Amino acid sequence: MKILLEPILVSIIAGLFILVIPKRFRKVIEFFSLITSVYLFIAGIKIFFAAPLNAGYFYVDGLSRFIVPAIGFFGMLVTLYSMRSMASYKDVSSYYTYILWTIGSSILAAVSNNIILLLVSWGFLGFTLYALINISGPKAAAISKKTFIIIGGSDSLMILGFGIMWLMTKSLNLSDMRIDITAPMAFWSFLLVATGAFAKAGAMPFHTWIPETAQEAPISVTAFLPASLDKLLGIYLLARLTLNVFILNSFTYAILMVIGSITIIAAVMMALVQHDFKKLLGYHAVSQVGYMVLGIGTGNPIGIAGGLFHMLNNAIYKCCLFLSGGNVEYKTKTSDLDRIGGLAKIMPITFFASVIAALSISGVPPFNGFFSKWMIYQGLIEKGKSGGVLWIICLAAAMFGSGLTLASFIKLIHAIFLGQRADGKENSRRDEVSWQMWLPVSILAILCVIFGIFAYQIPLKFFIRPALGAGVVFIGEWQTLKATLLLFAGLVIGLIIYFLGNFKSVRMSDSYIGGEPVEKDMRLSGTEFYNTVKEYGLLRIIYKKAEAGFFDIYEQGKALVFGIGGFFQYLHNGILPTYLVWTLLGMMGLFLFFMR
Amino acid sequence: MTRLLFNFLIFPGFLFTAIVGLIASWIDRKVTARIQWRVGPPWYQPLIDLVKLSIKEITVPRSASKGLFFLSPMIGLSAVTFVSTLIWLVNIDPVSKGFSGDIIVIMYLLTLPAIAIILGASSSGNPLASLGASREIKLVMAYELPFIICLIVPVIKSHGLLRLSEIINYQAVNGSFIASLSGIIAFIVMIFCMQAKLGLVPFDASEAETEIMGGALIEYSGMLLAIFKLTKTMLMVALPLFLITLFWQGFNFLSIWKYVVLLVIIVLIRNTNPRVRVDQAVRFFWGKMTLMAILAVLLAIKGM
């Protein structure tokens, strides 16, 4: 018990303490929060090794256990990163306070058994998210409001759902609940609570806050919350519901699978045509949730394990991508893909980290993203053995979605790092960002490789299998280590062939475009890669609608609320004769009713 | 491990596939020449071309990101070597059972050569190469959709088998999939996807010599270009074999005619069609081909 409460208490007190330190002592604040976040990470590791506990207020089992150190880990990296990236922000003390509070309450949310405790920490996370987005100034105000309404609204639905569950089981502890979905109201309570999880993780149709947050909020905040922590928590809750709390039937699983597939395809199609890399990454943060929901929706151990593993992997590479994007933005002061280009030689570390993360998210072997996607596919095919057509559609959607992901990351890498420089300069002196910024990025990129190559030996063995208990049976054994060695041997063959040739005479020359000099306006930034797709038949209409906010649940909700409000506004126009007419009409109605 | 390494490097992996590929590419050139009323090259011409490239000077554009520029050809070669080793082994080596889920792995690895070309092209910093890369990635997106859907057909028909060797055995017992309606439709779609994956006419918009001067490969020269060419050549072996394995009961040295048939089809398509624009290719794959692929899946579910 003490081991669980200590980090939460420390994070709250440390956050309050930072508020007390005068803002002049910037270095002190930064250093203090870094120390605290390192402590929280260590405490998370301690919780990971603690004895299981599933009674009373806390629930520490294989599932929640590996979430906690992951939260601490990302918290630590982001705090380290913020030391440099947040240098231009004035109100640094409240920023670090919110970051520490976020870590603390996330840990609390992950280990709580009591639903009231869970709801309180969950709601508090909504508040810190709001505050952290709002920190980047007046531009972000509208977005933070939108986020708060979506997250807060789904939280209230969640409260309703938990209320129903309490009525059904007469218990406030998750560990005591075992609800059959076919019981009356059980389906609705599942859907309501799952809404909270979906909104947090960003599955459709509650995703719309993520791309816009990504665009406006400080990039370290995006990398911390929507990209990693919110995924961990949202999918954790969903997994908890499906694994321990509810006994689902095939219909509910089918709903999850459909939501997952639609999320994958729709979000990645939106990502293809973005011009702002932060927004592009934001749409991918949505799209990847689809894989996790799909994996959990298969309902068999391998699929669920794949979903959970994908959640962990996604947090790693998504955090890496956002932070590298932050490096780029820090250097170039813009996130518009049309105005960047050719940074590979200037920022080599960021470049290679982003390439690795991009290949991981696109599911290229032997990186980690491939492994978890492959597990999810196996889950789907396993599901297919019991018949039905849905799994085929989902499988095709998931595989094709990964192709589209690859396509949009080719565009990203091309537009930011390759191609020609946007400013037309030839200067290519190395000018990497400072170590506080490149170190977290490289750590995450290395983790992508390690989790891919040693998938059985490290993440599956320590994190995923204990989370599900026994029962993850691979129908396939993809020997990652051997395969990687062979791929590496292939690279060596290539090198040998290269050295067989005339490798000594390498000449530098200008780009050849038929003898013409390369002009600045010949540059192809990469943003126009997929304009043909945008113009293709039915897709054109869908894109137009999407850009107009037609599929945005917030915009539609706003239209509905303002529509109703507008009607009453129309009635209450403040002109006395109108009111008199209404009164008269009402009286006539009453008379008619009573005199009948 | 040594046995595996031998398999990977010499037989049936890198060296063997490369030799078969060189012969296949000679057949391709010879048939093309005959169609165009030319004599055609001698049988060792593809090899000589590689040797010629090996003594050429390598030029690197100043705007290039050198690391990736040099690494990209190797990535493609590595992936195609791995794929061809896997496919040959499950076909000719009764000991090797492959591993379950190898279809998915092969599918992913088969996209790596295209990625290698795209990364190499865009790292060169040449605007025409960027144009070629943009066309290539659009083409990848286009053919990947019907390709994936068709890949599901054998899985459905074999009731959820995911291992190539098991699919071959299933076909040995129950007859090859190509004999059924859904199988033949999927097979035809796959042939077009294969043509696009190989980057041959009519889907060679990314290289389009007459238009963007080699496009994606414009800045590559010397041995680096040779490696890319070798990758393409090996892909010309691996892809038809993959199709034969999936739909046509697999492959052994007696049934070499299956491969020749596919090769002739490739050559014929290539010689009787003009190059299509990339948007036409996208329309073709996302329209007709996807519909046919879906039809194949539906028929497969019905057991036809």
Side-chain angles (χ1 to χ4, degrees), chain A residues 202 257 309 487:
Chain A
M257 281 166 73
F309 191 26
L487 280 175

Side-chain angles (χ1 to χ4, degrees), chain B residues 67-98:
Chain B
L68 199 59
F69 187 78
F70 279 93
L71 195 62
S72 300
M74 330 284 175
I75 296 174
L77 186 73
S78 166
V80 79
T81 310
F82 194 25
V83 169
S84 40
T85 313
L86 281 178
I87 298 173
W88 280 109
L89 277 183
V90 295
N91 275 300
I92 57 176
D93 183 5
V95 184
S96 163
K97 292 269 179 280

Side-chain angles (χ1 to χ4, degrees), chain A residues 377 402 475 487 502 510 512, chain B residues 54 58 60 62 78 100 108 219:
Chain A
Y377 300 154
S402 120
I475 34 179
L487 280 175
N502 186 5
D510 287 323
Y512 178 75
Chain B
S54 77
I58 295 175
V60 181
R62 274 192 199 92
S78 166
S100 182
Y108 269 92
E219 287 295 351

Side-chain angles (χ1 to χ4, degrees), chain A residues 269 272 344-345 351-352 359 362-365 370 373-374 377-378 381 385 389 391-392 395-396 399-400 402-404 406-407 410 413-414 418-420 426 475-478 482-483 485-491 493-495 497-498 500-503 505-514 518 522 524 528-530 532-533 535-537 539, chain B residues 1 4-5 8-9 14 54-68 70-71 74-75 77-79 81-82 99-101 104-105 107-109 112 115 118-119 122-128 130-131 133-134 137-138 141 144-145 148-149 152 155-156 159-160 162-163 213 218-219 223-224 227 230 279 282-283 286-287 297 301:
Chain A
M269 290 300 275
L272 272 184
K345 282 186 289 185
F351 169 57
F352 273 101
L359 291 179
S362 322
V364 173
F370 170 73
K373 277 184 189 170
W374 182 68
Y377 300 154
Q378 289 198 358
I381 289 167
K385 284 185 179 156
V389 190
W391 70 276
I392 301 171
L395 185 63
M399 284 180 166
F400 185 53
S402 120
L404 291 177
L406 175 71
I410 294 277
I413 296 284
H414 182 276
L418 305 172
Q420 293 95 348
E426 278 292 312
I475 34 179
E477 290 280 323
W478 154 245
K482 216 189 246 178
L485 283 178
L486 286 184
L487 280 175
F488 193 73
L491 285 184
I493 298 179
L495 276 179
I497 297 179
Y498 172 69
L500 282 178
N502 186 5
F503 67 92
S505 61
V506 174
R507 181 162 60 88
M508 302 297 285
S509 69
D510 287 323
S511 286
Y512 178 75
I513 50 167
V518 181
M522 285 177 186
L524 202 70
E528 55 283 89
F529 272 17
Y530 305 115
T532 20
V533 176
E535 293 299 316
Y536 179 72
L539 287 179
Chain B
M1 195 64 203
L4 199 64
L5 213 57
F8 186 75
L9 295 179
F14 172 70
S54 77
I55 55 173
K56 293 266 181 187
E57 169 186 63
I58 295 175
T59 57
V60 181
R62 274 192 199 92
S63 50
S65 151
K66 277 170 221 69
L68 199 59
F70 279 93
L71 195 62
M74 330 284 175
I75 296 174
L77 186 73
S78 166
T81 310
F82 194 25
F99 55 93
S100 182
I104 298 170
V105 173
M107 186 205 90
Y108 269 92
L109 284 172
L112 265 178
I115 300 173
I118 293 161
L119 285 180
S122 36
S123 65
S124 73
N126 183 317
L128 289 179
S130 294
L131 202 60
S134 108
I137 186 67
K138 264 179 277 193
M141 270 164 62
E144 213 54 17
L145 179 62
I148 290 166
I149 299 176
I152 301 178
V155 179
I156 298 172
H159 306 291
L162 268 185
R163 191 189 285 242
M213 293 174 277
I218 186 167
E219 287 295 351
M223 215 55 194
L224 294 174
I227 295 176
L230 192 63
D279 62 317
V282 172
R283 252 166 243 276
W286 282 8
V297 167
I301 295 170

Side-chain angles (χ1 to χ4, degrees), chain A residues 119 149 151-161 192:
Chain A
L119 282 171
I149 288 177
I151 298 282
S154 61
D155 279 0
S156 50
L157 293 180
M158 222 169 111
I159 296 174
L160 197 62
L192 286 170

